[in-house]
């Protein structure tokens, strides 16, 4: 059976990852992991679809039980990847996509060195700032906090395998880049231990 690929995508605030990843979701080529979080649902978000929304106590209980493949605290809330679901998808040979921040990405790479880590970025910091301000939904304090967080995340780019730029109005190109990365990785000789065996069978 062909081995599924474990793809981790991190996108600092303002990277526009929602639009890009929606396209990948619609392609049907990936199973998206549904994370658990203690943050409150935003309007339109559904439990079990966008996240598993759970209480602080339940999250900490699940950490103790070893139920989280990785987890982190981000802006005052817990976020984590449920272990059982992720392991089941990988065992089935399907491609698994985790949309998580840099701490989690580093944890995943330590557990699964074969995971492919991709950072999605706006072309420049100036553009990132403009996009965040453009939403006009947040206070100046919140915008500055998110920009600082994003700056720190981008500085860890060396821990990633690929960078994909999401230029304004060209999210389709960013989605194509991501799909191209996956296709290329699937052809990687180092991922296939049975080439000769199969060829000469
Ligand atoms: P948001 O609250 O905007 O949905 O997510 C905040 C941040 O948490 C984003 O960078 C998102 O990628 C990250 N995140 C979501 N789920 C997980 C998870 O399971 N683990 C980790 N480490 N980060 C996550």
């Amino acid at each position: 059976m062909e081995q599924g690929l474990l793809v981790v995508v991190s996108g600092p605030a303002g990277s526009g990852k929602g639009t890009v990843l929606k396209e990948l979701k619609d392609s049907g080529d990936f199973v998206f992991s549904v994370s658990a979080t203690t943050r409150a649902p935003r309007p339109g978000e559904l439990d079990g679809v966008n996240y598993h929304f759970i209480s602080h106590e339940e999250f900490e209980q699940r950490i103790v039980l070893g139920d989280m493949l990785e987890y982190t605290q981000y802006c005052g809330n817990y976020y984590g990847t449920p272990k059982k679901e992720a392991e089941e998808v990988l065992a089935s040979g399907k491609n698994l996509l985790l949309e998580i921040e840099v701490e989690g990405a580093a944890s995943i790479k330590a557990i699964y060195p074969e995971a492919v880590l991709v950072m999605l970025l706006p072309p420049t910091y100036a553009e990132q700032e403009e996009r965040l301000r453009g939403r006009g939904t947040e206070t100046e304090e919140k915008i500055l906090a998110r920009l600082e967080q994003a700056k720190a995340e981008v500085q860890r780019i060396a821990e990633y395998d690929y960078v994909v730029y999401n230029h304004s109005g060209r999210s389709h190109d960013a989605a194509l880049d991501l799909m191209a990365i996956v296709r290329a990785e699937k052809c990687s000789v180092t991922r296939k231990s049975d080439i000769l065996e199969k060829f000469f069978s």
Side-chain angles (χ1 to χ4, degrees):
M1 182 178 59
E2 181 141 341
Q3 186 82 25
L5 206 63
L6 174 54
V7 184
V8 174
V9 180
S10 301
S15 65
K17 69 175 181 295
T19 323
V20 176
L21 291 182
K22 185 176 178 305
E23 202 164 322
L24 259 72
K25 213 174 247 181
D26 292 346
S27 76
D29 291 341
F30 301 86
V31 176
F32 276 58
S33 163
V34 179
S35 296
T37 185
T38 57
R39 87 150 160 73
R42 295 188 186 125
E45 284 185 335
L46 297 173
D47 187 36
V49 176
N50 302 91
Y51 283 104
H52 298 291
F53 295 100
I54 63 178
S55 69
H56 211 80
E57 294 70 38
E58 188 180 344
F59 203 107
E60 291 187 334
Q61 211 172 5
R62 292 190 62 179
I63 294 171
V64 174
L65 290 172
D67 281 357
M68 294 295 169
L69 186 56
E70 63 72 35
Y71 68 92
T72 194
Q73 280 196 325
Y74 183 95
C75 295
N77 282 300
Y78 278 122
Y79 292 83
T81 306
K83 194 177 190 169
K84 191 163 165 274
E85 289 170 30
E87 286 180 347
E88 278 172 6
V89 174
L90 288 175
S92 74
K94 292 182 184 147
N95 298 324
L96 176 66
L97 194 145
L98 307 181
E99 181 197 338
I100 62 181
E101 50 65 68
V102 289
E103 277 300 324
S107 304
I108 292 295
K109 192 77 177 178
I111 306 168
Y112 298 102
E114 71 279 16
V116 182
L117 268 51
V118 184
M119 192 180 278
L120 187 67
L121 286 182
T124 61
Y125 180 72
E127 188 151 331
Q128 181 170 34
E129 189 168 359
E130 200 181 302
R131 286 187 197 175
L132 275 176
R133 290 187 189 286
R135 285 186 198 165
T137 52
E138 281 160 311
T139 61
E140 179 66 16
E141 193 190 344
K142 272 214 170 135
I143 289 171
L144 289 178
R146 282 157 66 86
L147 279 170
E148 277 312 302
Q149 177 79 33
K151 234 189 223 172
E153 290 192 66
V154 178
Q155 260 141 25
R156 291 181 65 174
I157 187 65
E159 295 171 48
Y160 283 72
D161 300 301
Y162 293 95
V163 60
V164 168
Y165 291 107
N166 187 16
H167 296 273
S168 285
R170 285 169 47 198
S171 62
H172 177 61
D173 289 337
L176 288 179
D177 281 354
L178 261 168
M179 290 193 240
I181 289 166
V182 171
R183 284 193 83 128
E185 285 288 336
K186 287 210 149 196
C187 297
S188 163
V189 171
T190 53
R191 286 187 189 278
K192 297 181 194 291
S193 55
D194 58 353
I195 301 172
L196 295 179
E197 196 186 312
K198 269 192 180 160
F199 190 76
F200 291 113
S201 65

